Amino acid sequence: NNNNNNDTSSSSSKLKANVVTKKSVLDSNRSKQVEIALSRLPKLEELMKAIKNLDANVIRKDALDSLLLILPKSDEIALIREYPSPDVIWAPAESFFLKTLTIKHIDLRLQCWAFRSEFEGSVHSLEEKLRLINGASKEVMRSEIVKRLLGLVLTIGNYLNAGNSRTEQADGFDLPFLLKLSDQRGNGTNLLEYVIRGYNSKFADKPLSLLFDHLSCVPKSKTISLVDVSSEVKKLQHQISEKIKDVNTIHSDPEVSQNKSDPFSYEMPSFMAKAEKQIKTLADLEKQTDEVFKEAVAFYGGQPAVSEEFFDIWASFLSQIKELLPKNLVMESQQSAPTPRTNEAKPKTAQFGAKLGGTDNPDFVSSLITQLKKGQAKK
């Protein structure tokens, strides 16, 4: 029994002797953060190789973000180097930190790589938003259907106001008034419904159903903030300038520039040159879009001047028309016009658009928008 106990004791001593304690000098929370991130990344040797080769098959965008968060700080490296024993076996976090020192400028490399990985997506997203606002701004200014429809709104509004000594005929109205048309009722029909029926009766050459094609960019533009998009474009311009400096810093190192096997030496300068041109094109589009949007706002009286609010009015107006359109495709012959507010047989303006300098002709609305700029309807 004594011999068995001695054997057991001897075996335990050998096992203890084989247990290696890995040294950690970092804060416990920092060590835990690094180790958790490393557990989701490839093995250390494979990871370092992928960083050198810019291998996107091994290190994807989310892995790049994780790496940037756990790169060592200068004081952490100093803490490891100050440890007296050169033969120490380091814990995983410290081992990773020391391994990063084998790749020069690893922080700038990863930052440039991360920027490249998301650049195309950012440019595409911003470009799409700018083109929508650009397109929507042009649509609301150029659509002949819009001009005719708003001409009817103004003329019918003036018709309803005829004979009212306290209400003069309006030269225009504020854009938000469009959303109040469905609240104005006469003879059991709201004003918007009557406008739709009047349009379908008067302008058969351009069906009102085409309005949704004419303003196809508007509904998608109502959630886009041009201010935010412009800010993002400027941010991207700043980032590309900074990253070009980083690439030049790395490329000025002979170990990189003269190493033809290092993908960074030829991929990144080429990418940055291309990206700089793309940013310039995007900035030009942003400037043009801002000008076109401001023109559209001024076109309709100057308010609202915020893109989301401006296009939300148009999108809501479209929705109201879409809801009423199916039952008003053809104006019924027996449908009577809303009765003026007095017994006067005719409004102050006997003909559609006469106040606008037009005649009882579909083309009378051609001068409408000029009048709408005055924007002071009294309804």
Side-chain angles (χ1 to χ4, degrees):
N1 287 339
N2 288 337
N3 288 336
N4 289 339
N5 288 337
N6 289 337
D7 290 341
T8 301
S9 177
S10 176
S11 297
S12 297
S13 298
K14 288 178 181 179
L15 287 172
K16 288 178 180 179
N18 289 331
V19 172
V20 177
T21 302
K22 295 183 177 181
K23 184 64 181 177
S24 178
V25 295
L26 299 173
D27 175 80
S28 60
N29 289 331
R30 175 63 165 160
S31 291
K32 186 175 181 180
Q33 178 202 22
V34 175
E35 288 179 17
I36 290 173
L38 288 174
S39 69
R40 298 167 181 163
L41 296 168
K43 298 297 182 183
L44 201 52
E45 292 300 327
E46 184 183 2
L47 182 63
M48 292 299 113
K49 182 180 178 182
I51 293 173
K52 287 179 181 178
N53 294 329
L54 305 178
D55 192 342
N57 293 320
V58 175
I59 303 178
R60 300 189 184 279
K61 178 62 176 67
D62 57 340
L64 278 173
D65 293 337
S66 295
L67 277 169
L68 285 167
L69 290 174
I70 63 172
L71 284 179
K73 300 176 178 62
S74 57
D75 60 324
E76 292 172 328
I77 293 297
L79 194 62
I80 296 172
R81 283 176 165 167
E82 287 170 4
Y83 193 75
S85 175
D87 299 323
V88 66
I89 298 176
W90 291 107
E94 285 80 358
S95 294
F96 167 71
F97 282 3
L98 289 172
K99 205 70 175 176
T100 62
L101 299 178
T102 63
I103 302 177
K104 297 189 72 174
H105 314 290
I106 189 171
D107 53 342
L108 296 183
R109 276 177 171 263
L110 290 175
Q111 288 168 19
C112 291
W113 188 4
F115 177 77
R116 185 180 72 170
S117 69
E118 62 186 17
F119 178 78
E120 291 294 340
S122 297
V123 169
H124 177 75
S125 175
L126 292 172
E127 186 180 67
E128 184 178 22
K129 291 175 181 178
L130 288 170
R131 293 197 184 283
L132 279 171
I133 294 179
N134 196 306
S137 300
K138 291 175 180 176
E139 286 173 351
V140 296
M141 288 190 288
R142 295 176 181 177
S143 172
E144 187 65 26
I145 293 179
V146 168
K147 293 178 182 179
R148 291 178 175 185
L149 192 63
L150 299 191
L152 281 173
V153 171
L154 183 62
T155 305
I156 293 173
N158 279 330
Y159 183 91
L160 293 174
N161 285 333
N164 189 332
S165 59
R166 293 176 302 173
T167 305
E168 298 178 359
Q169 287 196 334
D171 292 323
F173 54 83
D174 292 325
L175 195 61
F177 177 72
L178 291 177
L179 302 185
K180 299 178 182 178
L181 294 176
S182 58
D183 298 330
Q184 312 295 317
R185 292 187 170 273
N187 294 345
T189 302
N190 70 55
L191 184 53
L192 179 59
E193 189 170 0
Y194 186 75
V195 168
I196 292 172
R197 291 181 178 179
Y199 182 96
N200 289 330
S201 174
K202 189 171 181 61
F203 301 117
D205 62 317
K206 285 187 183 294
L208 189 54
S209 58
L210 293 177
L211 180 64
F212 306 104
D213 292 329
H214 281 210
L215 304 186
S216 61
C217 292
V218 167
K220 295 177 183 177
S221 298
K222 71 175 184 176
T223 59
I224 301 173
S225 166
L226 182 55
V227 171
D228 288 348
V229 172
S230 297
S231 177
E232 286 297 313
V233 172
K234 288 178 175 60
K235 180 181 175 182
L236 210 52
Q237 284 180 295
H238 175 72
Q239 286 178 329
I240 191 69
S241 297
E242 292 301 308
K243 291 299 166 283
I244 287 174
K245 292 177 185 177
D246 291 341
V247 169
N248 290 337
T249 296
I250 298 173
H251 208 253
S252 64
D253 187 334
E255 288 187 29
V256 177
S257 59
Q258 295 176 14
N259 184 359
K260 302 305 180 184
S261 64
D262 184 350
F264 195 98
S265 67
Y266 52 87
E267 286 186 17
M268 281 299 169
S270 175
F271 162 73
M272 291 298 172
K274 178 183 176 184
E276 193 173 22
K277 291 179 181 178
Q278 286 179 273
I279 287 293
K280 186 181 183 306
T281 300
L282 185 67
D284 290 343
L285 177 61
E286 184 275 329
K287 182 180 178 182
Q288 181 194 53
T289 299
D290 185 61
E291 291 172 353
V292 171
F293 173 67
K294 287 177 179 175
E295 183 184 354
V297 171
F299 201 73
Y300 286 101
Q303 292 293 332
V306 178
S307 62
E308 307 99 289
E309 295 176 14
F310 183 79
F311 291 118
D312 185 60
I313 291 172
W314 285 105
S316 298
F317 186 51
L318 282 176
S319 295
Q320 291 180 0
I321 291 174
K322 189 173 185 178
E323 185 178 342
L324 293 172
L325 190 57
K327 59 182 180 180
N328 293 292
L329 288 175
V330 179
M331 185 176 181
E332 299 176 18
S333 59
Q334 66 268 31
Q335 175 70 31
S336 60
T339 305
R341 293 178 183 174
T342 71
N343 293 326
E344 219 174 288
K346 292 183 180 180
K348 292 180 183 178
T349 302
Q351 291 179 309
F352 267 172
K355 182 174 176 62
L356 303 178
T359 62
D360 192 18
N361 183 289
D363 291 334
F364 79 86
V365 292
S366 61
S367 62
L368 170 72
I369 300 302
T370 301
Q371 303 296 326
L372 291 180
K373 291 179 183 177
K374 298 179 181 178
Q376 294 296 328
K378 299 175 184 178
K379 299 286 190 283

